[in-house]
Amino acid sequence: MEFIAGAEDWLARRNWAAWFLAFTASAFVLALRAPDSLVHPQFWAEDGSVFFADQLHHGAPRLFLPYAGYLLLIPRTVAWIASAFSAFYAPAIYSYSALLIGAASIASLREMRLGLGGFAFLLAPFALTPTNGEVFGTLTNVQWFTQFYEIVVVSRFIDGRPPASTWRAGAATIFAGLTGPFCVFASAAAAIGWLWIWRVEQRGASSPWSRLRSPAAYGVGILMLCSFLQLWVMRNGAEDTHATFAQWIGGVDTMFAALQSHFFGHRLMPDSVFLALVTIVVAACLIWIPSAGGDRATLACILVFVLAGFLAAGIKAHNPALIWTEIVFGDRYFFAAKIFIWWCVAAALALIWRRGSGIRLATLTLLLGASVVYANASLQRMPMQNKNWGQFARQIDNGEAVTVPINPNWQMSLPARKPPSFEQ
Protein backbone atom coordinates (compact mmCIF):
# COMPACT_ATOMS: atom_id res chain seq x y z
CA MET A 1 0.00 0.00 0.00
CA GLU A 2 2.84 2.38 0.77
CA PHE A 3 4.34 1.64 -2.66
CA ILE A 4 1.06 2.44 -4.40
CA ALA A 5 0.66 5.66 -2.41
CA GLY A 6 4.22 6.63 -3.28
CA ALA A 7 3.64 5.92 -6.98
CA GLU A 8 0.47 8.02 -7.01
CA ASP A 9 2.33 10.87 -5.29
CA TRP A 10 5.11 10.63 -7.89
CA LEU A 11 2.58 10.78 -10.73
CA ALA A 12 0.97 13.85 -9.14
CA ARG A 13 4.35 15.56 -8.93
CA ARG A 14 5.09 14.59 -12.52
CA ASN A 15 1.84 16.12 -13.73
CA TRP A 16 2.68 19.34 -11.86
CA ALA A 17 6.14 19.31 -13.41
CA ALA A 18 4.63 18.86 -16.89
CA TRP A 19 2.30 21.81 -16.32
CA PHE A 20 5.17 23.95 -15.04
CA LEU A 21 7.23 23.06 -18.11
CA ALA A 22 4.33 24.08 -20.37
CA PHE A 23 3.88 27.31 -18.40
CA THR A 24 7.60 28.12 -18.62
CA ALA A 25 7.67 27.47 -22.36
CA SER A 26 4.57 29.65 -22.86
CA ALA A 27 6.03 32.48 -20.77
CA PHE A 28 9.28 32.24 -22.75
CA VAL A 29 7.39 32.56 -26.05
CA LEU A 30 5.37 35.56 -24.83
CA ALA A 31 8.49 37.24 -23.44
CA LEU A 32 10.32 36.80 -26.76
CA ARG A 33 7.43 38.33 -28.69
CA ALA A 34 7.27 41.46 -26.52
CA PRO A 35 10.62 41.75 -24.67
CA ASP A 36 10.31 45.51 -24.12
CA SER A 37 7.19 44.95 -22.00
CA LEU A 38 9.41 43.27 -19.41
CA VAL A 39 12.59 45.33 -19.77
CA HIS A 40 10.93 48.76 -20.11
CA PRO A 41 7.25 48.36 -19.08
CA GLN A 42 4.92 51.04 -20.43
CA PHE A 43 1.19 51.62 -20.27
CA TRP A 44 -0.67 50.70 -23.43
CA ALA A 45 -3.97 52.42 -24.30
CA GLU A 46 -6.67 51.31 -21.84
CA ASP A 47 -4.04 50.07 -19.37
CA GLY A 48 -3.62 53.66 -18.30
CA SER A 49 -6.60 55.62 -19.61
CA VAL A 50 -9.21 53.18 -18.28
CA PHE A 51 -7.96 50.64 -15.73
CA PHE A 52 -5.37 52.78 -13.95
CA ALA A 53 -7.38 55.99 -14.20
CA ASP A 54 -10.62 54.39 -12.98
CA GLN A 55 -8.92 52.82 -9.95
CA LEU A 56 -6.85 55.88 -9.03
CA HIS A 57 -7.83 57.44 -5.69
CA HIS A 58 -10.40 54.66 -5.07
CA GLY A 59 -9.60 52.36 -2.19
CA ALA A 60 -12.42 49.95 -3.00
CA PRO A 61 -11.92 47.73 -6.05
CA ARG A 62 -13.88 48.75 -9.14
CA LEU A 63 -14.10 45.18 -10.38
CA PHE A 64 -17.50 45.30 -12.02
CA LEU A 65 -17.25 48.64 -13.80
CA PRO A 66 -18.02 47.89 -17.48
CA TYR A 67 -15.90 49.10 -20.35
CA ALA A 68 -16.55 48.74 -24.10
CA GLY A 69 -19.92 47.19 -23.24
CA TYR A 70 -18.79 44.29 -21.03
CA LEU A 71 -16.99 43.40 -17.81
CA LEU A 72 -13.20 43.06 -17.61
CA LEU A 73 -12.61 41.46 -14.23
CA ILE A 74 -8.94 40.48 -14.66
CA PRO A 75 -7.60 43.94 -15.66
CA ARG A 76 -9.74 45.56 -12.96
CA THR A 77 -8.37 43.16 -10.34
CA VAL A 78 -4.76 43.79 -11.37
CA ALA A 79 -5.40 47.55 -11.31
CA TRP A 80 -6.78 47.25 -7.78
CA ILE A 81 -3.78 45.23 -6.58
CA ALA A 82 -1.36 47.66 -8.25
CA SER A 83 -3.07 50.59 -6.48
CA ALA A 84 -1.58 49.37 -3.20
CA PHE A 85 1.90 50.28 -4.50
CA SER A 86 3.52 53.43 -5.80
CA ALA A 87 2.29 54.49 -9.23
CA PHE A 88 5.88 54.08 -10.39
CA TYR A 89 5.45 50.28 -10.36
CA ALA A 90 2.04 50.17 -12.05
CA PRO A 91 3.22 49.62 -15.67
CA ALA A 92 5.53 46.79 -14.52
CA ILE A 93 2.76 45.14 -12.49
CA TYR A 94 0.40 45.36 -15.47
CA SER A 95 2.95 43.98 -17.95
CA TYR A 96 4.18 41.12 -15.78
CA SER A 97 0.61 40.20 -14.86
CA ALA A 98 -0.26 40.04 -18.55
CA LEU A 99 2.70 37.73 -19.14
CA LEU A 100 1.84 35.37 -16.28
CA ILE A 101 -1.88 35.22 -17.05
CA GLY A 102 -1.25 34.75 -20.77
CA ALA A 103 1.29 31.98 -20.10
CA ALA A 104 -1.07 30.19 -17.71
CA SER A 105 -3.87 30.38 -20.29
CA ILE A 106 -1.70 28.88 -23.02
CA ALA A 107 -0.27 26.24 -20.68
CA SER A 108 -3.79 25.07 -19.84
CA LEU A 109 -4.13 23.91 -23.46
CA ARG A 110 -2.03 20.86 -22.66
CA GLU A 111 -5.22 19.34 -21.23
CA MET A 112 -6.81 19.22 -24.67
CA ARG A 113 -6.69 16.22 -26.96
CA LEU A 114 -6.81 17.11 -30.64
CA GLY A 115 -4.85 14.25 -32.12
CA LEU A 116 -1.90 16.55 -32.83
CA GLY A 117 0.86 14.86 -30.88
CA GLY A 118 1.56 17.06 -27.87
CA PHE A 119 1.67 20.55 -26.38
CA ALA A 120 4.42 21.69 -28.77
CA PHE A 121 1.92 21.55 -31.66
CA LEU A 122 -0.42 23.84 -29.72
CA LEU A 123 2.33 26.27 -28.71
CA ALA A 124 4.05 26.62 -32.11
CA PRO A 125 1.42 28.94 -33.68
CA PHE A 126 1.63 31.28 -30.69
CA ALA A 127 5.38 31.54 -31.29
CA LEU A 128 5.53 31.86 -35.07
CA THR A 129 2.40 33.42 -36.53
CA PRO A 130 2.87 36.83 -38.22
CA THR A 131 1.21 39.58 -36.20
CA ASN A 132 1.50 43.26 -35.40
CA GLY A 133 1.99 42.20 -31.78
CA GLU A 134 -0.91 44.12 -30.25
CA VAL A 135 -2.02 41.13 -28.17
CA PHE A 136 1.39 40.65 -26.55
CA GLY A 137 2.66 42.24 -23.35
CA THR A 138 -0.35 44.38 -22.43
CA LEU A 139 -2.97 43.88 -19.75
CA THR A 140 -5.57 45.51 -22.01
CA ASN A 141 -5.37 42.58 -24.42
CA VAL A 142 -4.94 39.73 -21.94
CA GLN A 143 -8.50 38.60 -22.70
CA TRP A 144 -7.30 37.39 -26.10
CA PHE A 145 -5.30 34.76 -24.21
CA THR A 146 -7.79 33.89 -21.48
CA GLN A 147 -10.26 32.94 -24.22
CA PHE A 148 -8.12 29.83 -24.75
CA TYR A 149 -8.65 28.79 -21.13
CA GLU A 150 -12.40 28.96 -21.79
CA ILE A 151 -11.84 26.59 -24.71
CA VAL A 152 -10.14 24.23 -22.24
CA VAL A 153 -13.18 24.39 -19.95
CA VAL A 154 -15.38 23.35 -22.87
CA SER A 155 -12.88 20.63 -23.80
CA ARG A 156 -13.06 19.16 -20.28
CA PHE A 157 -16.84 19.02 -20.60
CA ILE A 158 -16.65 17.29 -23.98
CA ASP A 159 -14.10 14.75 -22.76
CA GLY A 160 -15.86 14.26 -19.42
CA ARG A 161 -12.61 14.94 -17.53
CA PRO A 162 -12.92 16.85 -14.24
CA PRO A 163 -10.22 19.42 -13.45
CA ALA A 164 -7.42 18.52 -11.07
CA SER A 165 -8.69 21.09 -8.57
CA THR A 166 -12.37 22.04 -8.71
CA TRP A 167 -12.09 25.25 -6.70
CA ARG A 168 -9.02 26.55 -8.58
CA ALA A 169 -10.61 25.73 -11.93
CA GLY A 170 -13.86 27.36 -10.82
CA ALA A 171 -12.10 30.56 -9.74
CA ALA A 172 -10.11 30.69 -12.98
CA THR A 173 -13.31 30.16 -14.99
CA ILE A 174 -15.06 33.03 -13.20
CA PHE A 175 -12.17 35.42 -13.85
CA ALA A 176 -11.87 34.36 -17.49
CA GLY A 177 -15.63 34.36 -18.06
CA LEU A 178 -16.05 37.87 -16.66
CA THR A 179 -13.19 39.24 -18.77
CA GLY A 180 -14.48 40.03 -22.22
CA PRO A 181 -17.37 38.52 -24.20
CA PHE A 182 -15.74 35.16 -24.92
CA CYS A 183 -17.81 33.25 -22.38
CA VAL A 184 -20.81 33.81 -24.67
CA PHE A 185 -19.00 32.11 -27.54
CA ALA A 186 -17.71 29.35 -25.24
CA SER A 187 -21.24 28.64 -23.98
CA ALA A 188 -22.46 28.29 -27.56
CA ALA A 189 -19.54 25.95 -28.32
CA ALA A 190 -20.37 23.81 -25.26
CA ALA A 191 -24.01 23.51 -26.33
CA ILE A 192 -23.00 22.46 -29.84
CA GLY A 193 -20.47 20.01 -28.41
CA TRP A 194 -23.09 18.41 -26.21
CA LEU A 195 -25.39 17.92 -29.20
CA TRP A 196 -22.45 16.63 -31.26
CA ILE A 197 -21.63 13.94 -28.71
CA TRP A 198 -25.27 12.99 -28.27
CA ARG A 199 -26.25 12.83 -31.94
CA VAL A 200 -23.03 12.02 -33.77
CA GLU A 201 -20.46 10.48 -31.46
CA GLN A 202 -22.47 8.42 -28.99
CA ARG A 203 -25.43 7.70 -31.27
CA GLY A 204 -27.73 7.71 -28.27
CA ALA A 205 -25.78 4.92 -26.53
CA SER A 206 -26.03 6.75 -23.22
CA SER A 207 -28.31 9.35 -21.74
CA PRO A 208 -27.49 12.85 -23.01
CA TRP A 209 -28.21 14.18 -19.54
CA SER A 210 -25.44 12.15 -17.91
CA ARG A 211 -22.80 14.48 -19.34
CA LEU A 212 -24.61 17.45 -17.76
CA ARG A 213 -24.32 15.79 -14.35
CA SER A 214 -20.57 15.18 -14.63
CA PRO A 215 -18.08 17.22 -12.53
CA ALA A 216 -16.67 18.71 -15.73
CA ALA A 217 -20.06 20.32 -16.43
CA TYR A 218 -19.65 22.72 -13.49
CA GLY A 219 -17.11 24.75 -15.45
CA VAL A 220 -19.50 25.12 -18.37
CA GLY A 221 -22.25 26.05 -15.94
CA ILE A 222 -20.05 28.85 -14.58
CA LEU A 223 -19.34 30.03 -18.13
CA MET A 224 -23.06 30.14 -18.89
CA LEU A 225 -23.76 32.16 -15.74
CA CYS A 226 -20.98 34.54 -16.77
CA SER A 227 -22.57 34.71 -20.23
CA PHE A 228 -25.92 35.81 -18.81
CA LEU A 229 -24.19 38.51 -16.77
CA GLN A 230 -22.06 39.72 -19.70
CA LEU A 231 -25.07 39.77 -22.03
CA TRP A 232 -27.03 41.77 -19.47
CA VAL A 233 -24.17 44.27 -19.22
CA MET A 234 -23.89 44.44 -23.02
CA ARG A 235 -27.61 45.04 -23.35
CA ASN A 236 -27.55 47.84 -20.80
CA GLY A 237 -24.10 49.19 -21.65
CA ALA A 238 -23.05 52.15 -23.69
CA GLU A 239 -21.23 50.26 -26.45
CA ASP A 240 -21.76 52.27 -29.63
CA THR A 241 -21.06 49.62 -32.27
CA HIS A 242 -24.58 48.68 -33.29
CA ALA A 243 -25.00 47.92 -36.97
CA THR A 244 -27.88 47.04 -39.24
CA PHE A 245 -28.14 43.51 -40.59
CA ALA A 246 -26.81 44.63 -43.97
CA GLN A 247 -23.87 46.40 -42.32
CA TRP A 248 -23.14 43.32 -40.23
CA ILE A 249 -23.12 41.11 -43.33
CA GLY A 250 -20.73 43.58 -44.95
CA GLY A 251 -18.52 43.50 -41.87
CA VAL A 252 -18.45 39.68 -41.86
CA ASP A 253 -17.51 39.73 -45.56
CA THR A 254 -14.69 42.17 -44.72
CA MET A 255 -13.48 39.85 -41.97
CA PHE A 256 -13.27 36.84 -44.27
CA ALA A 257 -11.65 38.91 -47.02
CA ALA A 258 -9.02 40.11 -44.55
CA LEU A 259 -8.28 36.69 -43.03
CA GLN A 260 -5.50 35.80 -45.49
CA SER A 261 -3.67 39.09 -44.89
CA HIS A 262 -3.65 38.44 -41.16
CA PHE A 263 -2.78 34.77 -41.61
CA PHE A 264 0.24 35.27 -43.91
CA GLY A 265 0.97 38.93 -43.25
CA HIS A 266 -0.36 39.93 -46.69
CA ARG A 267 -2.26 38.39 -49.62
CA LEU A 268 -0.48 35.38 -51.11
CA MET A 269 -3.29 34.05 -53.32
CA PRO A 270 -6.87 34.95 -54.30
CA ASP A 271 -9.06 35.08 -51.22
CA SER A 272 -11.47 32.53 -52.68
CA VAL A 273 -8.62 30.04 -53.12
CA PHE A 274 -7.36 30.62 -49.58
CA LEU A 275 -10.83 30.19 -48.04
CA ALA A 276 -11.38 27.05 -50.12
CA LEU A 277 -8.10 25.56 -48.86
CA VAL A 278 -8.98 26.43 -45.26
CA THR A 279 -12.42 24.86 -45.66
CA ILE A 280 -10.92 21.66 -47.08
CA VAL A 281 -8.36 21.34 -44.27
CA VAL A 282 -10.92 21.98 -41.52
CA ALA A 283 -13.50 19.66 -43.09
CA ALA A 284 -10.92 16.90 -43.52
CA CYS A 285 -9.97 17.17 -39.86
CA LEU A 286 -13.59 17.06 -38.74
CA ILE A 287 -14.28 14.00 -40.89
CA TRP A 288 -11.14 11.92 -40.39
CA ILE A 289 -9.63 12.96 -37.08
CA PRO A 290 -10.09 10.12 -34.55
CA SER A 291 -13.32 10.35 -32.58
CA ALA A 292 -11.81 8.52 -29.59
CA GLY A 293 -11.09 10.76 -26.62
CA GLY A 294 -13.36 13.54 -27.87
CA ASP A 295 -10.85 14.82 -30.44
CA ARG A 296 -13.42 15.37 -33.18
CA ALA A 297 -16.02 16.91 -30.88
CA THR A 298 -13.41 19.21 -29.31
CA LEU A 299 -12.31 20.39 -32.75
CA ALA A 300 -15.93 21.07 -33.69
CA CYS A 301 -16.43 23.07 -30.48
CA ILE A 302 -13.33 25.18 -31.14
CA LEU A 303 -14.60 25.84 -34.67
CA VAL A 304 -17.94 27.06 -33.27
CA PHE A 305 -16.12 29.21 -30.70
CA VAL A 306 -13.86 30.83 -33.32
CA LEU A 307 -16.66 31.38 -35.84
CA ALA A 308 -18.91 32.94 -33.18
CA GLY A 309 -16.22 35.44 -32.23
CA PHE A 310 -15.34 36.03 -35.87
CA LEU A 311 -18.95 36.77 -36.81
CA ALA A 312 -19.43 39.01 -33.76
CA ALA A 313 -16.41 41.06 -34.81
CA GLY A 314 -18.23 41.81 -38.05
CA ILE A 315 -20.28 44.35 -36.09
CA LYS A 316 -17.14 46.47 -35.79
CA ALA A 317 -15.61 45.51 -39.12
CA HIS A 318 -18.37 47.24 -41.11
CA ASN A 319 -16.77 50.59 -40.23
CA PRO A 320 -15.00 51.74 -43.44
CA ALA A 321 -12.64 53.95 -41.42
CA LEU A 322 -10.95 50.87 -39.93
CA ILE A 323 -8.38 49.22 -42.18
CA TRP A 324 -9.28 45.59 -41.45
CA THR A 325 -7.61 44.26 -44.58
CA GLU A 326 -4.14 45.16 -43.26
CA ILE A 327 -2.38 43.31 -40.47
CA VAL A 328 -1.39 46.61 -38.88
CA PHE A 329 -4.93 47.05 -37.53
CA GLY A 330 -7.35 44.78 -35.70
CA ASP A 331 -5.09 41.73 -35.71
CA ARG A 332 -6.42 40.72 -32.28
CA TYR A 333 -9.78 39.87 -33.89
CA PHE A 334 -8.03 37.30 -36.10
CA PHE A 335 -5.83 35.84 -33.36
CA ALA A 336 -7.93 32.81 -32.41
CA ALA A 337 -8.80 32.10 -36.06
CA LYS A 338 -5.13 31.99 -37.02
CA ILE A 339 -4.25 29.70 -34.13
CA PHE A 340 -7.18 27.39 -34.93
CA ILE A 341 -6.30 27.11 -38.62
CA TRP A 342 -2.71 26.19 -37.78
CA TRP A 343 -4.00 23.57 -35.32
CA CYS A 344 -6.02 22.12 -38.18
CA VAL A 345 -2.89 22.08 -40.34
CA ALA A 346 -1.14 20.18 -37.54
CA ALA A 347 -4.07 17.76 -37.34
CA ALA A 348 -3.93 17.26 -41.11
CA LEU A 349 -0.23 16.44 -40.84
CA ALA A 350 -1.11 13.89 -38.15
CA LEU A 351 -3.62 12.30 -40.53
CA ILE A 352 -0.99 12.09 -43.27
CA TRP A 353 1.85 10.85 -41.04
CA ARG A 354 0.44 8.53 -38.42
CA ARG A 355 3.92 8.00 -37.02
CA GLY A 356 6.88 10.26 -36.49
CA SER A 357 5.66 13.06 -34.25
CA GLY A 358 9.04 14.77 -34.55
CA ILE A 359 8.76 14.91 -38.35
CA ARG A 360 5.26 16.38 -38.10
CA LEU A 361 6.39 19.03 -35.63
CA ALA A 362 9.39 19.94 -37.79
CA THR A 363 7.12 20.26 -40.85
CA LEU A 364 4.65 22.45 -38.96
CA THR A 365 7.50 24.65 -37.71
CA LEU A 366 8.92 24.99 -41.23
CA LEU A 367 5.49 25.97 -42.59
CA LEU A 368 5.03 28.54 -39.84
CA GLY A 369 8.55 29.87 -40.35
CA ALA A 370 8.07 30.13 -44.10
CA SER A 371 4.85 32.07 -43.52
CA VAL A 372 6.64 34.60 -41.30
CA VAL A 373 9.67 34.93 -43.61
CA TYR A 374 7.53 35.36 -46.72
CA ALA A 375 5.36 37.93 -44.95
CA ASN A 376 8.49 39.81 -43.91
CA ALA A 377 6.81 40.29 -40.55
CA SER A 378 8.67 40.64 -37.30
CA LEU A 379 8.18 38.02 -34.62
CA GLN A 380 8.54 40.72 -32.00
CA ARG A 381 6.21 43.57 -31.19
CA MET A 382 7.54 47.00 -32.07
CA PRO A 383 9.03 48.52 -28.90
CA MET A 384 6.85 51.10 -27.19
CA GLN A 385 8.00 54.68 -26.85
CA ASN A 386 9.43 55.76 -23.52
CA LYS A 387 6.93 58.24 -22.10
CA ASN A 388 8.96 59.07 -18.93
CA TRP A 389 6.39 57.49 -16.66
CA GLY A 390 8.59 57.84 -13.57
CA GLN A 391 8.44 61.64 -13.79
CA PHE A 392 4.64 61.64 -13.75
CA ALA A 393 4.40 58.82 -11.18
CA ARG A 394 5.92 61.06 -8.52
CA GLN A 395 3.27 63.69 -9.17
CA ILE A 396 0.53 61.07 -9.05
CA ASP A 397 1.83 59.71 -5.74
CA ASN A 398 1.81 63.28 -4.38
CA GLY A 399 -1.85 63.58 -5.31
CA GLU A 400 -1.37 66.21 -8.02
CA ALA A 401 -3.53 66.61 -11.11
CA VAL A 402 -1.54 65.63 -14.16
CA THR A 403 -1.92 64.86 -17.87
CA VAL A 404 0.20 61.85 -18.84
CA PRO A 405 1.18 60.68 -22.35
CA ILE A 406 0.88 56.93 -22.92
CA ASN A 407 1.30 54.56 -25.83
CA PRO A 408 0.14 54.58 -28.59
CA ASN A 409 0.11 58.40 -28.74
CA TRP A 410 -2.70 58.58 -26.18
CA GLN A 411 -2.88 60.67 -23.05
CA MET A 412 -4.81 60.48 -19.81
CA SER A 413 -5.84 63.32 -17.55
CA LEU A 414 -5.75 62.32 -13.88
CA PRO A 415 -7.48 64.41 -11.21
CA ALA A 416 -5.86 65.57 -7.99
CA ARG A 417 -6.47 63.51 -4.88
CA LYS A 418 -9.18 65.08 -2.75
CA PRO A 419 -8.10 65.89 0.81
CA PRO A 420 -9.99 63.97 3.49
CA SER A 421 -13.00 65.85 4.85
CA PHE A 422 -13.60 66.06 8.60
CA GLU A 423 -17.02 66.68 10.03
CA GLN A 424 -17.24 69.29 12.78
Side-chain angles (χ1 to χ4, degrees):
M1 292 298 293
E2 292 180 0
F3 173 80
I4 296 176
E8 291 176 347
D9 185 56
W10 180 82
L11 288 174
R13 290 199 304 269
R14 186 183 179 189
N15 184 63
W16 172 260
W19 183 91
F20 182 76
L21 182 62
F23 172 81
T24 302
S26 302
F28 182 71
V29 166
L30 296 182
L32 284 181
R33 301 211 71 171
D36 67 296
S37 66
L38 305 180
V39 179
H40 303 293
Q42 303 283 328
F43 274 148
W44 172 264
E46 288 89 347
D47 285 353
S49 63
V50 175
F51 305 125
F52 180 84
D54 286 348
Q55 187 62 54
L56 184 66
H57 306 324
H58 289 84
R62 314 198 78 189
L63 303 182
F64 299 100
L65 184 65
Y67 175 73
Y70 44 76
L71 300 175
L72 291 158
L73 183 57
I74 290 177
R76 297 288 189 190
T77 301
V78 173
W80 174 51
I81 294 172
S83 67
F85 303 89
S86 167
F88 178 82
Y89 300 107
I93 294 173
Y94 283 36
S95 294
Y96 279 90
S97 296
L99 172 71
L100 296 176
I101 295 168
S105 299
I106 297 175
S108 68
L109 291 171
R110 62 179 294 272
E111 297 184 34
M112 291 203 313
R113 294 195 292 260
L114 286 177
L116 305 184
F119 178 71
F121 288 90
L122 299 171
L123 181 61
F126 288 96
L128 294 173
T129 46
T131 177
N132 66 352
E134 64 181 352
V135 299
F136 297 101
T138 62
L139 187 65
T140 291
N141 290 319
V142 75
Q143 58 181 311
W144 302 97
F145 289 98
T146 57
Q147 65 174 320
F148 292 99
Y149 177 76
E150 297 181 38
I151 291 176
V152 171
V153 174
V154 176
S155 174
R156 290 192 193 122
F157 171 64
I158 298 304
D159 295 342
R161 293 178 291 112
S165 172
T166 303
W167 73 267
R168 282 200 301 266
T173 304
I174 291 173
F175 274 90
L178 295 181
T179 301
F182 300 103
C183 58
V184 179
F185 314 142
S187 298
I192 295 298
W194 177 63
L195 292 175
W196 177 286
I197 290 176
W198 181 21
R199 297 293 187 183
V200 180
E201 299 291 339
Q202 296 184 351
R203 300 289 183 182
S206 61
S207 170
W209 307 109
S210 61
R211 187 59 59 91
L212 300 180
R213 295 192 295 268
S214 67
Y218 295 135
V220 170
I222 292 174
L223 282 180
M224 289 187 172
L225 290 175
C226 292
S227 297
F228 290 133
L229 182 56
Q230 290 283 26
L231 288 172
W232 182 84
V233 173
M234 292 178 198
R235 183 176 180 271
N236 295 278
E239 176 69 1
D240 188 22
T241 55
H242 300 292
T244 65
F245 180 75
Q247 289 175 324
W248 174 70
I249 292 296
V252 171
D253 181 67
T254 299
M255 291 287 294
F256 279 105
L259 179 59
Q260 182 184 179
S261 294
H262 290 263
F263 189 81
F264 290 119
H266 65 101
R267 279 184 168 80
L268 181 62
M269 63 188 77
D271 291 328
S272 57
V273 175
F274 173 74
L275 291 175
L277 290 174
V278 169
T279 302
I280 291 171
V281 170
V282 174
C285 293
L286 287 173
I287 294 172
W288 285 298
I289 195 172
S291 60
D295 292 347
R296 189 181 300 166
T298 300
L299 192 67
C301 285
I302 299 174
L303 175 61
V304 171
F305 178 90
V306 171
L307 278 178
F310 208 69
L311 296 177
I315 297 175
K316 291 186 176 182
H318 81 276
N319 188 342
L322 305 181
I323 312 173
W324 289 86
T325 55
E326 301 296 334
I327 197 172
V328 297
F329 181 83
D331 192 51
R332 60 191 180 275
Y333 296 103
F334 298 84
F335 187 50
K338 290 190 292 187
I339 299 295
F340 172 73
I341 293 172
W342 278 114
W343 285 350
C344 288
V345 172
L349 292 175
L351 293 172
I352 296 171
W353 291 312
R354 296 287 182 177
R355 297 181 180 178
S357 178
I359 297 176
R360 295 200 304 267
L361 181 58
T363 304
L364 176 66
T365 304
L366 286 173
L367 290 173
L368 281 160
S371 171
V372 174
V373 171
Y374 185 83
N376 196 27
S378 174
L379 289 177
Q380 291 184 337
R381 188 191 69 191
M382 290 293 292
M384 294 187 190
Q385 298 178 8
N386 185 356
K387 300 293 186 178
N388 297 316
W389 171 254
Q391 164 192 339
F392 298 101
R394 286 190 291 271
Q395 296 176 266
I396 295 170
D397 287 340
N398 291 332
E400 302 175 25
V402 61
T403 298
V404 185
I406 57 176
N407 287 280
N409 297 320
W410 286 25
Q411 66 178 22
M412 56 177 177
S413 297
L414 304 176
R417 181 172 56 238
K418 295 180 180 179
S421 58
F422 300 95
E423 295 183 1
Q424 298 295 331

